[in-house]
Amino acid sequence: DPGKADGSAQEDENSVKVPDVNIDKKPVPDNEALSFVKNMKVGWNLGNTFDAIDCTWLSNKLDYEMGWCGVKTTPDMIKAVKDAGFNTIRIPVSWHNHVSGDDHKIDEAWLNRVQEVVDYAVSNNLYIIINIHHDMSKDYIYPTSEYLDQSKHYVRSIWSQVAARFKDYDHHLIFESMNEPRMVGHKNEWWPDPNDPDCRDAVSAINELNQVFVDTVRSTGSNNAERYLMVPGYCASFAGALDSGFSLPADTADSRLIVSVHAYTPYNFTLQEGGIRTFDINRHASTNEIDYFMDKLYDGFVSKGVPVVIGEFGARNKQDNLQDRVDFTAYYVASATARGMTCIWWDNNAFTGTGELFGIFNRGVVKWEYPEIVEALIKYAQ
């Protein structure tokens, strides 16, 4: 009976619900920076877009925008992000495939196109984050004392150009120094060992690179003199931010720095291939890692008046485990909100196959494929 089959499919779809999550709110200091981050509410990443690299099959470098995600960004897409209830968009940008010369002069057409998409977001009154993304290599940025001079030169070159281009944009535009700065290929690439001398060296190098970023942006004047700036610790992990060697840069602006963290936590559910498919908000085994790292960030930064933005998080689709992903999203965002932190979902426009399926917004047809995840994001970011 086709009618009956249709009915049962509809019933299955309707059975996915956003759970009730009640997490006691912790006291958040009353300052301008923390209020600013609270107003960002919740965000969405334009992932695998301007951050695409090494698309050597493409003759036109401007087509890198579509190299990984398959779609060119349109004003309708960005309007749909705003209309869904998001208040922030993160636009990751890789630069090294679009520069020339020893001073890394950015291709005018690439910078123009980045600006064009930033302007789509400006017209929707969104908070916007742009950064240096997949430029981590021994040719560009490699955070060790051995490669520090060239890394500083690269950071200074890119940010002097980008900051100059956007210096008159208002406070809704935020700059993020680097994406996941780390020793690519090192045994500790993804997790800093405080007892490893290489890691201690890398933490120190990241401090210096973040300082170059802040000094370079501030020196361009206009609204950049007071712009909010995001800085990560080692590999943007919470452990990197909380490392005893990590320090916020000195800044001529007062309380305009935000700690940038990425946390696909718990890893075995959110990101690990295989891993587990289930998340239960009433089970300590599901929630304890979220509670732990968010408490650490609250104690280390938020409680002391320093804002934190979780610039990337999400949970990949594992054989259609939608209810578990919705439950995770609700718990994660509610937990962050209760501690004064803002979250930004990683969306790479991937929906099919066996890869990292973090897509929730199908850009090709401008449709939210998982409205229940969106509902959980928006509901608990208040």
Side-chain angles (χ1 to χ4, degrees), residues 32-53:
E32 197 177 331
L34 285 163
S35 296
F36 177 85
V37 164
K38 183 179 181 181
N39 289 337
M40 293 170 70
K41 291 184 179 172
V42 69
W44 177 86
N45 270 280
L46 186 70
N48 280 21
T49 308
F50 291 103
D51 48 316
I53 60 170

Side-chain angles (χ1 to χ4, degrees), residues 63-336:
D63 289 339
Y64 273 46
E65 177 186 351
M66 300 179 284
W68 287 3
C69 69
V71 187
K72 187 174 181 181
T73 311
T74 66
D76 284 349
M77 288 179 205
I78 307 305
K79 183 178 185 299
V81 171
K82 178 67 173 184
D83 289 348
F86 292 92
N87 218 31
T88 298
I89 184 169
R90 183 170 176 260
I91 304 175
V93 187
S94 301
W95 303 96
H96 72 266
N97 289 127
H98 309 276
V99 299
S100 58
D102 292 339
D103 281 334
H104 310 297
K105 180 169 173 47
I106 301 168
D107 299 346
E108 187 75 8
W110 183 249
L111 190 50
N112 288 346
R113 177 60 183 153
V114 171
Q115 184 176 12
E116 189 173 16
V117 174
V118 167
D119 287 343
Y120 298 164
V122 169
S123 67
N124 284 285
N125 203 32
L126 287 159
Y127 289 87
I128 306 145
I129 300 165
I130 58 175
N131 71 350
I132 290 177
H133 206 79
H134 289 306
D135 296 5
M136 291 295 141
S137 78
K138 290 179 178 176
D139 293 326
Y140 301 100
I141 300 173
Y142 200 81
T144 64
S145 51
E146 181 182 357
Y147 292 93
L148 187 56
D149 285 346
Q150 74 162 45
S151 299
K152 282 182 174 181
H153 177 62
Y154 187 82
V155 169
R156 190 179 293 112
S157 297
I158 297 301
W159 278 115
S160 62
Q161 296 172 78
V162 176
R165 174 62 65 97
F166 290 102
K167 68 181 182 179
D168 295 327
Y169 282 61
D170 75 12
H171 70 281
H172 284 83
L173 181 62
I174 302 155
F175 297 156
E176 177 186 34
S177 64
M178 301 171 285
N179 181 77
E180 299 175 357
R182 64 197 188 278
M183 297 179 288
V184 175
H186 191 276
K187 65 180 181 180
N188 293 107
E189 177 175 356
W190 292 111
W191 199 254
D193 176 358
N195 298 313
D196 185 296
D198 290 350
C199 290
R200 290 202 300 272
D201 179 57
V203 169
S204 175
I206 289 165
N207 288 341
E208 292 201 47
L209 292 170
N210 281 332
Q211 188 67 60
V212 167
F213 158 69
V214 170
D215 292 346
T216 301
V217 171
R218 295 293 182 233
S219 72
T220 58
S222 191
N223 288 339
N224 287 341
E226 296 282 327
R227 188 173 308 286
Y228 280 93
L229 305 177
M230 287 172 61
V231 293
Y234 187 86
C235 72
S237 64
F238 82 87
L242 292 162
D243 187 284
S244 62
F246 175 74
S247 60
L248 289 174
D251 193 5
T252 50
D254 186 34
S255 298
R256 288 292 186 272
L257 299 180
I258 299 167
V259 177
S260 173
V261 171
H262 296 175
Y264 295 92
T265 305
Y267 172 76
N268 60 358
F269 172 74
T270 60
L271 186 55
Q272 186 179 31
E273 191 169 355
I276 61 169
R277 297 175 57 245
T278 58
F279 186 92
D280 184 343
I281 58 176
N282 297 310
R283 285 185 68 236
H284 182 66
S286 290
T287 60
N288 68 319
E289 287 184 53
I290 295 172
D291 298 340
Y292 175 79
F293 96 82
M294 289 193 183
D295 277 345
K296 289 288 190 184
L297 289 171
Y298 171 82
D299 292 341
F301 296 107
V302 178
S303 70
K304 298 172 181 173
V306 178
V308 173
V309 167
I310 300 173
E312 288 185 21
F313 90 107
R316 62 193 280 180
N317 182 359
K318 292 183 175 178
Q319 300 166 324
D320 299 321
N321 58 337
L322 181 55
Q323 184 65 65
D324 294 280
R325 292 201 295 153
V326 171
D327 291 350
F328 157 80
T329 303
Y331 189 87
Y332 192 107
V333 176
S335 300

